[in-house]
Amino acid sequence: MAQEFRLLVVTPETTLLDQSIQSLRCTLFDGQIGIIPGRMPMVGRLGYGELVFRTEDGSESSYFVDGGFLQVQGNVISVLTEQAVPVSELNGAEAEQQLQEALARPAIGDDQCDARERDQLRARAIISLAGQK
């Protein structure tokens, strides 16, 4: 039997997932990371993108994560995110509309520029993932 992790995916509203997995791949703010058993402890900042994990039976599940943090401690992977949505439930047309709104929105000052950029990155990640389903 392969070594396993316990995956916890927590949003502000609920604990979305709590299950055993064999491996995980996700998007950090600066690139991709893959995690298998034996990984040293770590904390990472999540980007907008895909979180894919392989379950005990070998099947893969894929979610869109809306930023947050990932922690690996022992055999537990904790994902704290604003939102996690199964890729099969993403709406590419809605994300395209959100992207166009973000591109058209004027931004004055650092806070507004940062918010507009975050909205654009988020919408582009959803469009990309929705096109894969």
Side-chain angles (χ1 to χ4, degrees), residues 54-115:
R54 185 176 303 275
T55 60
E56 294 175 314
D57 65 5
S59 64
E60 283 192 352
S61 296
S62 180
Y63 284 78
F64 166 78
V65 291
D66 196 359
F69 293 91
L70 169 126
Q71 177 184 22
V72 178
Q73 183 67 41
N75 67 345
V76 178
I77 301 172
S78 301
V79 175
L80 307 173
T81 184
E82 195 62 35
Q83 176 183 6
V85 179
V87 168
S88 62
E89 296 178 14
L90 294 176
N91 184 333
E94 184 178 304
E96 182 65 44
Q97 180 181 354
Q98 291 170 354
L99 175 61
Q100 294 308 316
E101 289 171 4
L103 289 168
R105 186 172 62 223
I108 301 170
D110 291 342
D111 291 342
Q112 289 181 1
C113 288
D114 290 344

Side-chain angles (χ1 to χ4, degrees), residues 8-27:
L8 295 169
V9 177
V10 179
T11 67
E13 292 84 28
T14 187
T15 300
L16 187 64
L17 292 170
D18 183 355
Q19 70 183 78
S20 293
I21 64 168
Q22 292 182 351
S23 63
L24 178 133
R25 185 180 74 243
C26 67
T27 303

